[in-house]
Amino acid sequence: MNCYFYINIDVKKNSYKEKWLNQLSTGIIKYSKKLKITNDIEQADIIFTIKDFVDSINLKEKQILVILSCQDNEICDSRTINNKKIKYIFEHTKLSGNPIEIITIDDNVMKYLLKFDKKITTEIYDNYDSKVIPILNTSFLYRRIYKEKISLLKDRKYDIVFTGLTNYDDKMVSKHRLEIIDKIIEFANKYSYTYFVNESRINIKQYYELLEQTKIFISPYGYGEFSLKDFECICFGCHVIKPKIYFEYYPNFCKNFDDFELDLSNFDSQVNFALRNIDTITQTKVNNNRKLFEDYHPANQIEFLDSLFS
């Protein structure tokens, strides 16, 4: 089957959108015996593109449109999911568990996270599980910084760390992050743990050195659940604890993270458990995620990708 990649000139060079498209075209499909890349859209059986450009393409009946949502902080919206032209939606995250549950902070629906309204929740998820496939491996983009030799968690300097901006345009995001910083400080002082928190940009070399000395990295929401820091922590062997995890990555590193409730009601118990079992349970979770990272190769995905279009 012939595959055509529709890339609009608006896609910036070296952007994540371009890198994810390249991951499919030059990274995965080149290993396929069934899928071939064509430069002629008229010859294409399948068109791969980004959500932004779906309406720019005139489809023939023979063509299947597969899109990459490619939004750092966006669960796919109802318009995209219910578009009959679209056969599959390739994502870097997918909701897991009960996708109809709406996550709230202080009783405010976090619309910037889930991108939908209560009234249309059921409509959105009619086709969600059959269409949305987490296949884009963000961690693959971090191969260059992956550290082969790392210190064991128990030998690291800082028990608990957070570094990240707090001055968001969305005041609810800022409040969420500031509350977590306050909680880290309160927690560390209460139980005599070493900690490091920082609310400003940090030099990249200092940041990597910090991760090398971090046991637990707290990774709060920003404009969405997804965070590139999660993958940087895997590269440097830190354990990640996030707010409520109701989504999965590919590979699903989330199953080896820990999480806490958004109201922070079980923050102490979750972080305490991870620190008190730092050289057993927590170290095993870190090791498991690093193995997922190391074992990934684009060629491993092609059998599954071929099966979608066979």
Side-chain angles (χ1 to χ4, degrees):
M1 301 184 79
N2 290 319
C3 307
Y4 180 86
F5 282 77
Y6 181 85
I7 305 178
N8 188 288
I9 57 172
D10 292 338
V11 177
K12 295 179 181 178
K13 289 292 180 185
N14 297 317
S15 68
Y16 284 103
K17 291 184 179 184
E18 183 188 57
K19 288 176 181 177
W20 273 317
L21 279 170
N22 289 340
Q23 188 178 120
L24 275 173
S25 60
T26 60
I28 299 173
I29 290 179
K30 71 177 181 180
Y31 295 100
S32 175
K33 294 180 180 178
K34 296 181 180 179
L35 305 177
K36 304 296 180 186
I37 295 176
T38 178
N39 293 320
D40 185 354
I41 194 169
E42 296 298 325
Q43 295 181 355
D45 303 295
I46 305 166
I47 298 174
F48 291 86
T49 190
I50 295 170
K51 181 177 71 174
D52 312 43
F53 311 138
V54 167
D55 294 332
S56 305
I57 302 171
N58 294 319
L59 287 178
K60 296 179 179 179
E61 287 185 9
K62 67 170 185 174
Q63 293 171 324
I64 302 169
L65 182 63
V66 182
I67 73 147
L68 290 74
S69 180
C70 286
Q71 304 296 316
D72 284 357
N73 306 306
E74 182 178 316
I75 297 297
C76 221
D77 58 79
S78 61
R79 181 171 173 270
T80 304
I81 291 172
N82 294 323
N83 187 332
K84 289 183 168 49
K85 294 195 299 184
I86 298 170
K87 180 69 174 175
Y88 297 112
I89 299 166
F90 290 171
E91 280 278 20
H92 58 289
T93 60
K94 181 177 180 176
L95 296 180
S96 57
N98 179 7
I100 293 178
E101 178 183 1
I102 294 195
I103 307 302
T104 65
I105 290 181
D106 294 338
D107 297 323
N108 293 315
V109 177
M110 298 182 73
K111 291 181 180 177
Y112 66 90
L113 282 179
L114 299 187
K115 302 293 183 189
F116 63 78
D117 184 277
K118 279 186 176 181
K119 296 175 184 176
I120 59 172
T121 302
T122 305
E123 176 192 351
I124 286 179
Y125 291 108
D126 284 346
N127 301 310
Y128 186 85
D129 281 330
S130 61
K131 268 195 175 182
V132 179
I133 300 170
I135 197 173
L136 303 175
N137 184 353
T138 308
S139 70
F140 191 68
L141 305 176
Y142 284 84
R143 293 264 171 174
R144 61 184 176 79
I145 68 165
Y146 184 79
K147 217 168 158 54
E148 297 287 346
K149 294 182 179 179
I150 57 170
S151 302
L152 293 172
L153 294 178
K154 66 182 180 65
D155 297 328
R156 298 184 175 207
K157 178 179 179 179
Y158 296 109
D159 294 310
I160 182 169
V161 165
F162 165 76
T163 178
L165 301 179
T166 58
N167 57 337
Y168 280 71
D169 292 335
D170 189 318
K171 300 305 179 187
M172 191 163 63
V173 184
S174 298
K175 181 174 180 288
H176 166 68
R177 290 188 150 215
L178 288 167
E179 284 177 348
I180 286 178
I181 288 177
D182 289 343
K183 187 62 177 175
I184 289 171
I185 296 170
E186 174 197 311
F187 170 83
N189 289 333
K190 181 177 180 180
Y191 297 102
S192 299
Y193 286 124
T194 55
Y195 71 93
F196 178 92
V197 295
N198 176 65
E199 300 176 44
S200 58
R201 296 194 183 278
I202 188 170
N203 175 277
I204 194 68
K205 184 174 182 292
Q206 292 176 316
Y207 173 58
Y208 290 159
E209 289 172 351
L210 175 65
L211 292 184
E212 289 184 275
Q213 290 300 317
T214 297
K215 297 176 184 178
I216 306 293
F217 190 94
I218 304 299
S219 179
Y221 297 157
Y223 279 121
E225 318 90 331
F226 173 80
S227 175
L228 297 176
K229 287 189 175 72
D230 299 345
F231 306 105
E232 292 164 341
C233 286
I234 292 168
C235 290
F236 288 90
C238 318
H239 182 54
V240 174
I241 302 184
K242 296 180 69 67
K244 188 84 173 172
I245 297 176
Y246 53 95
F247 49 91
E248 58 187 83
Y249 294 154
Y250 178 82
N252 193 14
F253 301 109
C254 294
K255 67 183 179 181
N256 294 311
F257 295 159
D258 286 317
D259 67 350
F260 51 86
E261 296 296 330
L262 288 171
D263 64 4
L264 304 180
S265 57
N266 66 340
F267 183 94
D268 287 20
S269 60
Q270 291 294 87
V271 180
N272 257 326
F273 183 86
L275 287 169
R276 288 170 181 168
N277 295 278
I278 200 71
D279 59 346
T280 52
I281 296 172
T282 307
Q283 184 67 63
T284 298
K285 289 179 179 180
V286 167
N287 295 345
N288 288 343
N289 266 350
R290 285 174 62 82
K291 188 173 190 313
L292 282 177
F293 186 103
E294 291 166 355
D295 288 350
Y296 172 80
H297 190 279
N300 300 340
Q301 291 177 276
I302 200 58
E303 184 176 344
F304 168 72
L305 201 61
D306 281 348
S307 70
L308 289 179
F309 305 111
S310 61

